[in-house]
Amino acid sequence: MPPRTRRSEALTRQRIVDAAIELLDTTGDAGLTFRTLTERLATGPGAIYWHVANKGELLAAATEALVTAALPADLPGGIHGVALGLFDAISAHPWLATQLATQLSRSPSKSVTPLIFEAIGREVRALDVPDGDQFIAASALLHYILGAAGQNAANARVAGSGTERAEFLNSVSKAWEQLDPDDYPFTRAVAAQMREHDDREQFLAGIDLILAGITARER
Amino acid sequence: MPPRTRRSEALTRQRIVDAAIELLDTTGDAGLTFRTLTERLATGPGAIYWHVANKGELLAAATEALVTAALPADLPGGIHGVALGLFDAISAHPWLATQLATQLSRSPSKSVTPLIFEAIGREVRALDVPDGDQFIAASALLHYILGAAGQNAANARVAGSGTERAEFLNSVSKAWEQLDPDDYPFTRAVAAQMREHDDREQFLAGIDLILAGITARER
DNA sequence: ACCTGAACACCGTTCAAGT
DNA sequence: ACCTGAACACCGTTCAAGT
């Protein structure tokens, strides 16, 4: 029998969170289990539970770490900067989309929700939106950003590389074009755009559309 | 031993889907398992697998049934009608929010995605949005509707009854008010609105904001 | 204080066997 | 064709025992 792998560093909460992120990135949502995690960290489940209360807390910690990194206090670019910061984080870590949705709804007073809401709200305020409209404007931006970024990440997750991605979008586009013309005129009409669109460009156009609505109401 | 409960009707795919919906409604996302489902249907797992390929397909079928019911062909009220149709469906079946998010991202060519996209797109077209902007306008509305409705359903899910709900929103609002004034000025400022807001009203205001952006770009 | 690893209750799914 | 129910591989979590 080969000698047991010896851990080079002591087990810490931070090391566990890092390993979890790596596992989620490489093997996807379903890839993180306490079995795979203990294997990677060369330890037993009990050791992990000493540092972390349960799987939910572990996922929350992983999510918070990435969101904090994506939204530094000195982030430039106004609302577009915030939107792209989250967009890129979700692109790099597709599982974040699902996590953020659950965290937002299950624990709206916990760290990650105020973190994102504040970053968006700060920029909404900078646009001189009247007080009564700020909550709605920030909510609309929040939901659009998370939804659109998640959608895009999902496409990337299914597709993998660049050419695979093109193939995937192409197959979706084709499926849409084959829908019943009477029942699905709109979906058929935009099928071509589904194939050709540039993600970031499309994403930012959506932001601008919402911003146009915000400033239109200002007057 | 009491005589085994005899099924009154034969097992069909429809009956299985109905039982799954009922189970999800009464016990939540985690309440639907093949154990609870076989118990309710007085059968074994093999019987269910004869009618349904796997749990994913069962969830997809349940989702599609409710969305189809929520968006009939003759639905009145324009885009507000579509938005409220989905809002109410998600309010009545909070687990729908998560399901729709996964379905939308995992299988964008399967029935439920075109169903919703078409309903929204039809109304976008009716607003005489230029061809090049229709895809983005429909996407923005889609993400906002699903995100905001899901958020609201999540509040309702945690809270239960009306007074419980008020208590829950109150506790979130209070938690927001206790955030660091230097780091969270915006979130603190809108905390009061979080407590007082009317869901449907707020939800429709968000729709109108996006619509304002759509028509503002038209000119 | 920190870690080990066997054990528990539970899950989705399969499949030989029945009718 | 339709259903039964034991069995399989896997999951998150616990806990007595070690250092």
Side-chain angles (χ1 to χ4, degrees):
Chain A
M1 250 184 274
R4 276 201 297 129
T5 308
R6 206 186 180 97
R7 281 201 305 276
S8 45
E9 306 167 70
L11 202 57
T12 62
R13 187 180 159 96
Q14 187 56 53
R15 279 198 67 223
I16 295 171
V17 170
D18 288 345
I21 291 174
E22 211 181 308
L23 226 31
L24 286 164
D25 287 348
T26 52
T27 57
D29 275 291
L32 176 66
T33 72
F34 275 83
R35 301 288 192 288
T36 57
L37 195 56
T38 52
E39 200 178 336
R40 167 154 312 209
L41 292 169
T43 181
I48 293 172
Y49 276 93
W50 203 90
H51 293 276
V52 160
N54 51 44
K55 195 178 182 181
E57 192 188 291
L58 177 56
L59 285 166
T63 302
E64 195 192 335
L66 292 179
V67 170
T68 305
L71 301 176
D74 59 347
L75 184 73
I79 185 69
H80 292 92
V82 172
L84 284 178
L86 289 169
F87 184 89
D88 291 339
I90 293 174
S91 292
H93 314 278
W95 51 271
L96 255 187
T98 312
Q99 265 322 295
L100 287 173
T102 18
Q103 302 251 2
L104 232 67
S105 58
R106 272 211 250 281
S107 36
S109 56
K110 291 283 184 59
S111 54
V112 78
T113 304
L115 221 48
I116 298 177
F117 204 60
E118 184 68 30
I120 294 174
R122 209 188 305 267
E123 306 300 340
V124 167
R125 273 194 157 173
L127 294 170
D128 289 326
V129 176
D131 280 13
D133 286 353
Q134 289 179 2
F135 187 88
I136 282 170
S139 299
L141 285 166
L142 172 72
H143 293 309
Y144 174 74
I145 291 171
L146 261 35
Q151 181 78 49
N152 181 63
N155 293 346
R157 174 169 34 184
V158 177
S161 77
T163 57
E164 273 179 68
R165 183 194 159 77
E167 271 172 42
F168 175 72
L169 290 182
N170 199 31
S171 78
V172 172
S173 173
K174 260 190 186 147
W176 282 10
E177 275 164 357
Q178 268 146 26
L179 290 167
D180 185 311
D182 290 332
D183 290 341
Y184 296 94
F186 175 77
T187 307
R188 282 170 54 98
V190 296
Q193 286 185 59
M194 177 67 181
R195 182 173 35 228
E196 297 157 10
H197 83 271
D198 176 88
D199 306 311
R200 278 172 81 102
E201 199 181 310
Q202 192 102 334
F203 174 71
L204 288 177
I207 299 284
D208 288 336
L209 186 146
I210 296 175
L211 289 177
I214 293 173
T215 44
R217 280 159 62 93
E218 252 179 88
R219 288 169 293 130
Chain B
M1 249 184 277
R4 274 201 297 129
T5 309
R6 207 188 179 96
R7 280 201 304 277
S8 46
E9 306 167 70
L11 204 56
T12 62
R13 187 180 157 96
Q14 188 55 55
R15 280 198 66 223
I16 295 170
V17 170
D18 288 344
I21 290 174
E22 211 181 308
L23 226 32
L24 286 164
D25 287 348
T26 52
T27 57
D29 276 289
L32 176 65
T33 73
F34 276 82
R35 301 288 194 287
T36 57
L37 194 56
T38 53
E39 200 179 337
R40 166 155 313 209
L41 292 168
T43 182
I48 293 173
Y49 276 94
W50 202 92
H51 294 276
V52 160
N54 51 46
K55 194 177 183 180
E57 192 187 291
L58 177 56
L59 285 166
T63 303
E64 195 192 335
L66 293 179
V67 170
T68 305
L71 301 176
D74 60 347
L75 184 73
I79 185 69
H80 292 92
V82 173
L84 284 179
L86 290 169
F87 184 89
D88 290 339
I90 293 174
S91 292
H93 315 278
W95 51 271
L96 255 187
T98 313
Q99 267 319 296
L100 287 172
T102 21
Q103 303 249 4
L104 233 67
S105 59
R106 273 211 250 280
S107 36
S109 56
K110 292 284 183 58
S111 55
V112 77
T113 304
L115 220 48
I116 298 177
F117 204 59
E118 184 68 28
I120 294 173
R122 209 187 305 267
E123 306 301 340
V124 166
R125 272 194 158 173
L127 294 170
D128 290 326
V129 176
D131 280 14
D133 286 353
Q134 290 179 2
F135 188 88
I136 283 171
S139 299
L141 285 166
L142 173 72
H143 293 310
Y144 173 73
I145 291 170
L146 262 35
Q151 180 79 49
N152 181 63
N155 294 347
R157 175 169 32 185
V158 177
S161 76
T163 56
E164 274 179 67
R165 184 195 157 76
E167 270 172 43
F168 174 72
L169 290 181
N170 198 31
S171 79
V172 172
S173 174
K174 259 191 186 146
W176 282 9
E177 275 165 356
Q178 267 146 27
L179 290 166
D180 186 311
D182 291 332
D183 291 340
Y184 296 95
F186 175 76
T187 307
R188 283 170 53 98
V190 296
Q193 285 184 60
M194 177 67 181
R195 182 172 37 226
E196 296 156 11
H197 82 271
D198 176 87
D199 306 310
R200 280 171 81 102
E201 198 183 311
Q202 192 103 332
F203 174 72
L204 288 177
I207 299 285
D208 288 336
L209 185 146
I210 296 175
L211 289 177
I214 293 173
T215 43
R217 278 160 63 94
E218 252 179 87
R219 287 167 294 131

